[in-house]
Amino acid sequence: MQVAVPQDQTRVPTTRRYLMCPPSFFAVEYVINPWMDPSQPVSAELAVQQWTELRDTYRRLGHTVEEIAAQPGLPDMVFAANSGTVVDGRVLGSRFRAPQRAAEAEHFRRWFVEHGYRDITMPEKINEAEGDFAWTGKILLAGTGFRTDPAAHAEAQEALGVPVVSLRLIDPKFYHLDTALFVLSEATDAAPAQVVYYPQAFSPGSQRVLTKLFPDAVQATEADALCFGLNGVSDGRNVVLPVEATELGARLAERGYEPVYVDISELRKAGGGPKCCTMEIRK
């Protein structure tokens, strides 16, 4: 159900702080998701251009973007969202399922230590961080099914001290929660959180949970999902989306949000989009 925003209601953006990693060594050298095909040409130069435009877009919107140095031999390190979840200054690191990405976790852990964070937990269970965790302002939505171990959800609750709701993904094209759902506006004392998601990416039980938690959610189409439109990033008003997600952008505009389009075509060849490249640091 689509709900029109009253004429006197204005979405208010909130300033965010992001951590990103330039795709200096970007390549598609192996297959760990259905989007990756090493036989197809990849332009590292174009990936850098697209990533730079994404970073600069955040800065134009008034957000702070910090950068971690890319490391040789880690072509997927650009997808910073997979390496940490930060809520109220507490950091929960990552533990990757694919051995090709395992070393990324330690580089991000060191970044947090070097920048003064002391409440850092490294998980024992497979945990791909904001790839499978979405903070709504009140609860942490936690995905499983392809990457993150269900037991990592309990670890996240203990480490971050927030309630966790588990959701099961069932379509391998949407292997992380952040390919099938993102938060448009976080919950406050005065208003519930609002999310957008692609229902068919989730198990029937998880669909029912989402309906109960977010009866006012925007439900995306398959076309929205396949262009990585559900890998968006919202500050409560401005919503950064892939350029192809125009249908979703129009529906969000009806709700009072402002779509901001970026080209992530090269990064998508590795199964990533705007959110994959963006870890949010919440204090």
Side-chain angles (χ1 to χ4, degrees):
M1 180 177 67
Q2 299 298 306
V3 179
V5 177
Q7 293 296 315
D8 61 349
Q9 180 177 340
T10 302
R11 302 287 181 189
V12 179
T14 58
T15 302
R16 308 299 176 99
R17 184 181 176 208
Y18 299 131
L19 177 59
M20 300 179 69
C21 179
S24 307
F25 304 100
F26 182 73
V28 178
E29 299 174 341
Y30 45 77
V31 178
I32 59 173
N33 68 58
W35 302 89
M36 303 177 85
D37 183 353
S39 70
Q40 297 299 310
V42 173
S43 170
E45 181 180 1
L46 180 56
V48 170
Q49 292 175 6
Q50 293 179 350
W51 178 90
T52 300
E53 176 58 27
L54 176 62
R55 180 201 64 190
D56 293 349
T57 295
Y58 291 141
R59 289 176 173 168
R60 285 196 297 270
L61 293 172
H63 306 308
T64 298
V65 179
E66 301 199 43
E67 297 181 31
I68 182 173
Q71 300 296 321
L74 296 175
D76 283 339
M77 194 171 167
V78 60
F79 301 129
N82 302 151
S83 288
T85 306
V86 187
V87 179
D88 293 334
R90 296 186 181 93
V91 180
L92 176 60
S94 64
R95 186 180 183 91
F96 287 92
R97 183 168 296 279
Q100 295 94 331
R101 298 196 65 184
E104 296 176 34
E106 176 61 14
H107 291 292
F108 280 87
R109 187 195 69 81
R110 290 178 182 174
W111 186 92
F112 281 108
V113 171
E114 291 167 0
H115 286 77
Y117 290 82
R118 295 294 176 262
D119 194 344
I120 303 172
T121 301
M122 298 304 290
E124 295 182 6
K125 305 298 182 181
I126 300 297
N127 172 339
E128 299 205 354
E130 284 194 322
D132 274 322
F133 290 144
W135 176 240
T136 70
K138 296 290 186 181
I139 60 175
L140 187 71
L141 301 177
T144 189
F146 298 101
R147 294 292 186 85
T148 296
D149 191 315
H153 298 178
E155 281 191 326
Q157 182 165 282
E158 289 301 312
L160 299 173
V162 297
V164 174
V165 172
S166 295
L167 301 169
R168 178 166 291 277
L169 298 160
I170 58 171
D171 186 330
K173 292 188 297 296
F174 310 110
Y175 59 94
H176 272 153
L177 182 65
D178 72 357
T179 65
L181 175 152
F182 71 97
V183 178
L184 290 165
S185 56
E186 293 183 3
T188 65
D189 291 339
Q194 188 166 72
V195 306
V196 54
Y197 66 97
Y198 175 52
Q200 287 73 23
F202 297 91
S203 68
S206 293
Q207 290 184 44
R208 292 194 294 271
V209 169
L210 287 167
T211 299
K212 289 180 179 180
L213 286 175
F214 309 106
D216 192 33
V218 178
Q219 294 193 10
T221 66
E222 182 180 27
D224 295 328
L226 289 175
C227 72
F228 270 54
L230 279 301
N231 199 244
V233 177
S234 176
D235 63 14
R237 182 177 189 275
N238 303 291
V239 184
V240 179
L241 297 171
V243 292
E244 299 88 350
T246 53
E247 181 180 352
L248 178 58
R251 296 174 71 193
L252 296 181
E254 293 174 357
R255 298 285 191 108
Y257 296 98
E258 184 70 31
V260 180
Y261 297 105
V262 295
D263 187 356
I264 49 89
S265 58
E266 208 64 17
L267 297 164
R268 189 164 48 223
K269 292 178 180 179
K275 176 54 190 172
C276 290
C277 295
T278 312
M279 182 198 301
E280 184 167 350
I281 301 177
R282 304 173 186 85
K283 287 192 173 183

